[in-house]
Amino acid sequence: MAGNNFCVNCGAPLQEGARFCTNCGAPVQALVDGGATEPTSDASATEPQPDQTQRLAAPGEAAPMQPAGAQPYVPVRPGSPHPQAAFAQAPYARATSAVAGGDNRHRTIAVVVAALAALALVAALAHAWLSGTGTGGNDGQPQQGQQQGDSDGEANGDASRKQEDDKAGAEAEAKKKEEEAEAQEEKAKKESLDQQDSAFHDSLVSYYNVLSDYDARVRDAASNFNASFLSKDMDLRRSLASSCSSLKVELQGKVDSLGKMTAPEGSAWTTQLSQIRQCYQDHLSRVTVMDSAWQVDLRYPDPEPHQSEILGPISAGNLDGSNKNAALDDYEKLYPQITL
């Protein structure tokens, strides 16, 4: 292989028996019929056989394994005077291809990412638009729908608060009117009671004012009885007895009338009513014992022999061990206590 001691591609020394240049990886031309074939200027003579060529890696594919220490094979243009210059350009060409392939991949990824971002943006806008209006429309409608919803919500809230305020105001007004009506009713009731009590007081005063007159009349009747019950003049005794009986009937009427009287609610004169009733009852009791004595006295034309019998009713009305009438004693104690 004296004619093939150097690589025809890069000019590096060849090892004996090597099929490829250890420097550039170019195939060594095989010997034909026991002799070395001479290199020719025909490009087909230097073109590697299919089973001896080294396949260049496609963009993005790992490069095929090279012999240790071998330089990448770059085909030399036939007739090139600088085989090494062609080799020196090979790395740049491969690097350029790799960079071009990487750029293509990066552009592809960027396009995919941009497309996904665009889809996400479109989906977000569509969701916001549908959420805001619930119907189709332009981009401004969701915001307008939201603003309208907020405005409607505020209007509804204001209307609700107004209804509550109106209701509270109506209830307060109704309660105020009810309280005023109750106060008016209470006032009218009080005025009515005051009027009733005033009338009641006036009646008590009228009864009270004549108590002393009745006391004087009862005393006169008692004096007439003491002076005439033993007289033999029947007409005189009958006249005095009739006058005493009439006084009794009159006093009985007063007692009955006072018994029917009732004090108004909350009256300040309830106690006075009870006191005046008792005073009239005392007058009636004093007259009653005298009337009973006159009835006994009129049985006899001459009453003197029957004195003890005639005085029996009067004695029964006296205090124990005394000649003073018990009713008269009660009246004299009670009457001064009455205040009107």
Side-chain angles (χ1 to χ4, degrees):
M1 296 183 61
N4 286 334
N5 291 333
F6 297 94
C7 178
V8 297
N9 182 50
C10 64
L14 295 175
Q15 295 179 2
E16 186 175 352
R19 298 178 61 188
F20 297 93
C21 177
T22 58
N23 182 46
C24 66
V28 177
Q29 293 183 355
L31 293 178
V32 179
D33 298 332
T37 60
E38 295 296 332
T40 65
S41 59
D42 190 1
S44 61
T46 60
E47 187 175 18
Q49 297 298 320
D51 59 344
Q52 295 177 342
T53 58
Q54 183 180 9
R55 183 176 59 89
L56 295 178
E61 182 181 359
M65 295 296 294
Q66 298 288 342
Q71 295 295 329
Y73 166 70
V74 180
V76 180
R77 186 176 56 190
S80 174
H82 304 289
Q84 290 296 334
F87 169 73
Q89 294 176 357
Y92 171 78
R94 284 216 312 253
T96 303
S97 299
V99 171
D103 289 344
N104 290 335
R105 287 195 301 275
H106 292 166
R107 281 197 296 270
T108 301
I109 294 173
V111 170
V112 173
V113 171
L116 293 177
L119 290 175
L121 179 60
V122 170
L125 291 175
H127 176 73
W129 176 65
L130 292 176
S131 299
T133 63
T135 59
N138 55 32
D139 294 340
Q141 286 183 348
Q143 295 181 354
Q144 293 176 358
Q146 182 65 35
Q147 293 175 355
Q148 183 65 34
D150 294 342
S151 178
D152 293 343
E154 292 178 358
N156 292 335
D158 293 341
S160 178
R161 285 191 294 272
K162 186 176 183 304
Q163 290 179 355
E164 292 178 358
D165 293 341
D166 292 344
K167 181 179 179 181
E171 291 177 352
E173 185 66 20
K175 184 176 181 181
K176 180 180 178 181
K177 290 182 178 180
E178 182 179 356
E179 291 176 351
E180 290 177 351
E182 291 178 354
Q184 189 66 28
E185 182 179 356
E186 187 67 22
K187 180 180 178 181
K189 181 179 179 181
K190 185 178 184 303
E191 291 177 352
S192 177
L193 289 175
D194 290 344
Q195 293 176 356
Q196 294 177 22
D197 202 38
S198 178
F200 174 71
H201 175 262
D202 293 343
S203 297
L204 287 180
V205 170
S206 65
Y207 280 100
Y208 173 80
N209 287 340
V210 296
L211 272 175
S212 59
D213 294 337
Y214 279 109
D215 176 56
R217 291 171 64 183
V218 172
R219 289 176 185 275
D220 289 343
S223 296
N224 291 331
F225 177 84
N226 291 333
S228 304
F229 82 97
L230 295 178
S231 174
K232 292 180 181 180
D233 188 347
M234 180 63 73
D235 293 336
L236 176 62
R237 286 186 288 150
R238 285 176 179 172
S239 176
L240 294 174
S242 177
S243 179
C244 181
S245 180
S246 296
L247 181 58
K248 174 186 174 182
V249 172
E250 187 176 344
L251 287 170
Q252 183 65 59
K254 295 294 183 180
V255 170
D256 292 343
S257 297
L258 286 168
K260 295 177 182 179
M261 289 180 64
T262 56
E265 181 181 352
S267 176
W269 314 113
T270 304
T271 301
Q272 284 80 349
L273 172 63
S274 177
Q275 291 172 337
I276 292 173
R277 279 176 179 171
Q278 185 59 44
C279 287
Y280 273 94
Q281 184 63 49
D282 289 340
H283 289 338
L284 179 61
S285 296
R286 289 162 65 190
V287 172
T288 297
V289 297
M290 286 188 291
D291 181 69
S292 297
W294 277 119
Q295 298 304 318
V296 176
D297 184 85
L298 293 178
R299 294 175 189 172
Y300 304 104
D302 185 4
E304 188 172 354
H306 307 282
Q307 181 176 355
S308 297
E309 181 184 357
I310 295 171
L311 294 177
I314 294 177
S315 297
N318 291 339
L319 294 171
D320 292 341
S322 172
N323 291 327
K324 187 175 183 180
N325 184 267
L328 175 61
D329 183 71
D330 183 69
Y331 171 78
E332 290 176 344
K333 292 177 180 178
L334 184 59
Y335 178 76
Q337 300 178 17
I338 300 174
T339 57
L340 291 171

